[in-house]
Amino acid sequence: MLADRIIKAAADIAETSVDGATEPATEVIGESLKETVEKANQFLDHLENMVPSIINFGINILIAIVIFGFGKILIRCLLKICNKFFDKANMEISVKKFLLSLIKTILFVILAITICGQLGIETTSFIAVIGSAGLALGLAFQGSLSNFAGGVLILLMKPFKVGDYISESGTGREGTVQQIDICYTTLITPDNKKVVIPNGNLSNSSLTNASAFEKRRVDIEVGISYSADISVAKMEMENLANNHSLILKEEEIFSFVSNLDSSQVTLGLRVWCQTSDYWTVKFDLTEGIKKIFDEKGIEIPFNQLVVHLDN
């Protein structure tokens, strides 16, 4: 063995260099060298035992590198697919960028956990910490997350868009949509007031979108006295509608008796116009019916109070 050869060489050196004290010097040097060589052999044995672990660790590192490279390519492909899907859905640019960043972050976190598991790092506690942190943040920002989720749903499903006139059934607030953000939607009321509504409320209540279609029906109701001629009143309303330039003539212009009330006969008129002309047509018809009824002597009943004075 290597130790024996070193001990023998050291003994020969001691015999030639020390006169009269050859055997004691040889024993001391031999034992010292033997102890050193034994430690060296133990270290070499330890390294030899570590070789399989080092090889396995190196293989795991190579596999982790391959997983990382393949994962990056896969994430890039998934992001391209999501981007194309969002473009086809005509998603708002701000929401698209946010969702792409969120998806990218989640995919890289999953990739990092996979690589850590391949390297033998315990990931259970790491996942538990992430879950606990997510739960804590969710409870802390419950209202904001609700508004955020509502904003994402609105921008994805598009029940309304900027420029539409909507009304909310919950609070009765209505107006023209000026801006749709992630958490809030801004309305401008007809009297030029700015209303900011949380998206969580809009996504959880029923909405009426008056601008959803290009054309809209205008309904007019007016009461006439029982002594008036119903046929003449209906004909005059239809003539008024036919002569209005903003009313769509290809659609039906329909007049009818809506109800027989206690003090009047209620007539109805239905016409169609462009959505943008709705209020103009409604106001014009209301005023025009009053004028034409006055000209034709058709009475519009109204409540009257008779006062008797006792002298």
Side-chain angles (χ1 to χ4, degrees):
M1 292 180 63
L2 178 61
D4 295 335
R5 292 180 180 177
I6 294 175
I7 292 171
K8 185 176 180 182
D12 293 338
I13 293 172
E15 287 178 357
T16 57
S17 59
V18 181
D19 294 334
T22 302
E23 293 182 0
T26 302
E27 292 177 357
V28 172
I29 295 174
E31 290 179 358
S32 178
L33 289 175
K34 185 176 182 180
E35 183 180 356
T36 302
V37 172
E38 287 179 354
K39 292 182 179 180
N41 287 332
Q42 291 176 359
F43 178 73
L44 292 175
D45 292 338
H46 182 67
L47 287 178
E48 185 177 357
N49 293 330
M50 289 180 61
V51 168
S53 300
I54 295 174
I55 294 175
N56 291 332
F57 183 72
I59 294 174
N60 289 333
I61 289 179
L62 292 177
I63 295 175
I65 294 173
V66 173
I67 292 174
F68 178 74
F70 179 76
K72 284 187 65 177
I73 297 174
L74 181 61
I75 290 173
R76 192 179 299 114
C77 294
L78 290 175
L79 291 176
K80 288 182 179 179
I81 294 173
C82 292
N83 189 28
K84 291 181 179 179
F85 174 77
F86 294 155
D87 289 338
K88 289 182 179 179
N90 294 325
M91 186 179 296
E92 296 289 335
I93 296 178
S94 59
V95 179
K96 183 179 73 173
K97 290 182 178 180
F98 177 80
L99 290 179
L100 288 176
S101 300
L102 181 62
I103 293 171
K104 182 178 180 181
T105 302
I106 293 174
L107 291 176
F108 270 107
V109 169
I110 295 174
L111 179 61
I113 293 174
T114 304
I115 292 174
C116 290
Q118 179 62 37
L119 295 177
I121 301 173
E122 186 65 31
T123 58
T124 304
S125 58
F126 181 69
I127 296 175
V129 170
I130 293 178
S132 300
L135 179 61
L137 290 175
L139 293 175
F141 299 99
Q142 185 176 3
S144 299
L145 290 177
S146 175
N147 293 333
F148 169 77
V152 172
L153 288 176
I154 289 172
L155 292 168
L156 285 177
M157 306 304 296
K158 293 185 177 180
F160 57 85
K161 62 182 183 299
V162 174
D164 285 351
Y165 189 91
I166 65 172
S167 61
E168 180 197 5
S169 62
T171 60
R173 291 171 293 188
E174 60 181 57
T176 303
V177 180
Q178 182 190 43
Q179 187 175 357
I180 305 173
D181 293 327
I182 291 295
C183 295
Y184 298 94
T185 295
T186 303
L187 304 181
I188 302 299
T189 62
D191 55 348
N192 203 31
K193 293 179 182 178
K194 182 177 180 180
V195 179
V196 180
I197 305 176
N199 288 332
N201 296 342
L202 290 177
S203 62
N204 292 324
S205 61
S206 59
L207 296 172
T208 300
N209 188 350
S211 306
F213 303 103
E214 293 182 356
K215 58 184 180 180
R216 186 177 174 187
R217 192 181 73 186
V218 182
D219 294 334
I220 302 291
E221 286 191 352
V222 60
I224 62 174
S225 66
Y226 276 92
S227 60
D229 191 332
I230 295 176
S231 300
V232 173
K234 290 171 60 178
M235 183 183 64
E236 293 297 334
M237 289 194 300
E238 291 179 4
N239 291 335
L240 182 65
N242 285 319
N243 292 328
H244 200 290
S245 60
L246 297 180
I247 292 177
L248 302 177
K249 306 304 186 298
E250 63 272 15
E251 299 292 340
E252 182 183 17
I253 297 175
F254 179 54
S255 62
F256 54 93
V257 177
S258 175
N259 197 14
L260 299 176
D261 295 318
S262 59
S263 59
Q264 66 178 20
V265 178
T266 303
L267 301 182
L269 176 66
R270 291 178 178 175
V271 298
W272 290 84
C273 67
Q274 295 293 329
T275 301
S276 58
D277 298 328
Y278 176 82
W279 291 111
T280 301
V281 171
K282 186 175 179 65
F283 296 152
D284 288 349
L285 288 179
T286 303
E287 181 179 351
I289 289 173
K290 174 64 171 65
K291 290 181 178 179
I292 197 68
F293 279 7
D294 288 344
E295 292 177 3
K296 301 299 180 179
I298 300 174
E299 181 184 359
I300 299 177
F302 57 93
N303 293 329
Q304 302 182 39
L305 179 63
V306 179
V307 180
H308 296 278
L309 299 177
D310 188 6
N311 293 327

